[in-house]
Amino acid sequence: MNRIKYNWATLGVGVIGHQLADAMHQLGGNLYAVGNRTHEKAVKFAQEYGIEKVYDDPEEMFMDPNVDVIYISTPHNTHIQYLRQALSHGKHVLCEKSITLNSEELSEAVELAQKNHVVLAEAMTIYHMPIYRKLNAIKDSLGPLRLIQMNFGSYKDYNMKNRFFNKNLAGGAMLDIGVYALSFVRWFMQSCPDQIQSQVKFAPTGVDEQAGILLMNKEQEMATVILSLHAKQPKRGTIVFDKGYVTMYDYPRGDKAVITYTEDGHEETIEAGHTTDALSYEVLDMERAIDGDDQMHLDYTIDVMQMMTKIRQDWHLTYPEEE
């Protein structure tokens, strides 16, 4: 892999922050700096990874002239406030999914990025794993796309105070795992679905615990999505073409797909990339985008956010920041 050449800072020291730091080391470098709402956690993180720069206040990160790129991995509902500050100070931003709560917030962030001539992108691993680019290159040989079937189910502790079910932390299946399924759908469809129907089961806190979604675009390509935060099911994506169907397991960071051909049922295994390198692919694509080779698919991010916003509107599900 290539080496990093920009100064990266991470805002947030959770699981993704640790994976980002590991990816930086894999790429032969290190994070330039770290910030966190709890300063003590940022100091501990810096000591663990040998990071010299720690900010007493996250705002200092946005004002540091030596910072080129900021990776934001704080809770969903804090993203827009940090995006406003980072983009306004001319920082490139790679933001953890879901990039914002809704389309209105995302439109504001996109406008700020354009105004300040910086790259804004969502850290949607599906857009950067080599397997998806390889499938994109061969899908035409399988004929027209007919259907996509998506499953994503986790069995989370049924504690209404944890972030998955906490409305004050923008909990719920849609923003946490639905964004993966819809990004997968958008990657393979010719255009964004414009017909959407859904059903939802709410958790006691009022966030979406489980959902079923039907989608169709103007080309009449169709998709089904089944989500749950309290029912384990395989992270499986099935893309059905005229001449065969493609099956992917553990698809957010997948590195292998199986094609089953319609005519005789024989199977072909396609492999590309490595699951463990997911963050490295994102980092390198972000740097390429900064250099002018746009690999971040912000247009798909905008489409997915429009779908999620429409679905939540149909459910009358809002978060405190939206009320």
Side-chain angles (χ1 to χ4, degrees), residues 32-256:
Y32 167 75
V34 57
N36 193 66
R37 288 179 297 176
T38 305
H39 181 66
E40 293 75 16
K41 290 183 179 180
V43 170
K44 182 179 178 181
F45 184 91
Q47 291 172 343
E48 180 177 353
Y49 291 100
I51 302 168
E52 295 185 9
K53 185 80 171 180
V54 181
Y55 302 99
D56 291 325
D57 185 326
E59 189 171 351
E60 297 176 11
M61 176 186 294
F62 308 125
M63 300 179 67
D64 187 340
N66 293 316
V67 170
D68 299 312
V69 195
I70 298 175
Y71 193 119
I72 297 175
S73 60
T74 56
H76 309 310
N77 57 334
T78 65
H79 288 177
I80 187 60
Q81 69 186 72
Y82 293 134
L83 287 171
R84 288 177 182 131
Q85 296 175 74
L87 296 169
S88 294
H89 282 90
K91 306 303 181 188
H92 305 287
V93 179
L94 183 58
C95 186
E96 187 57 29
K97 56 81 193 167
S98 170
I99 189 169
T100 57
L101 291 184
N102 53 55
S103 290
E104 184 177 351
E105 289 184 354
L106 181 54
S107 294
E108 178 187 351
V110 170
E111 186 175 336
L112 277 172
Q114 293 172 342
K115 178 181 178 181
N116 290 282
H117 308 290
V118 292
V119 175
L120 168 66
E122 182 178 53
M124 174 47 63
T125 187
I126 287 171
Y127 301 153
H128 310 288
M129 297 299 292
I131 188 66
Y132 290 101
R133 292 179 180 175
K134 190 168 184 177
L135 287 172
N136 220 31
I138 66 174
K139 67 180 183 181
D140 288 347
S141 67
L142 296 172
L145 173 64
R146 304 299 188 191
L147 301 166
I148 302 176
Q149 295 175 294
M150 303 303 301
N151 298 85
F152 200 139
S154 301
Y155 192 82
K156 304 299 185 186
D157 178 25
Y158 212 54
N159 177 356
M160 295 301 113
K161 294 182 180 179
N162 72 32
R163 72 173 183 86
F164 299 106
F165 299 104
N166 189 334
K167 203 170 190 180
N168 292 325
L169 294 177
M174 179 59 68
L175 294 187
D176 194 72
I177 59 178
V179 64
Y180 286 120
L182 292 174
S183 295
F184 186 106
V185 167
R186 184 64 192 92
W187 178 263
F188 289 102
M189 279 191 166
Q190 294 182 63
S191 65
C192 184
D194 57 0
Q195 298 182 51
I196 305 174
Q197 295 183 332
S198 63
Q199 290 182 316
V200 62
K201 176 185 178 183
F202 293 110
T205 54
V207 303
D208 52 311
E209 172 186 324
Q210 192 162 289
I213 305 165
L214 296 173
L215 308 111
M216 186 166 70
N217 61 12
K218 66 179 186 294
E219 291 84 7
Q220 296 194 315
E221 298 166 338
M222 300 178 71
T224 64
V225 175
I226 301 294
L227 307 172
S228 180
L229 287 178
H230 199 56
K232 185 67 175 177
Q233 58 176 329
K235 299 179 181 70
R236 179 180 60 214
T238 305
I239 316 110
V240 184
F241 297 93
D242 191 57
K243 298 179 181 178
Y245 62 88
V246 180
T247 304
M248 289 193 65
Y249 288 91
D250 297 320
Y251 62 83
R253 296 187 178 185
D255 55 16
K256 182 171 69 174

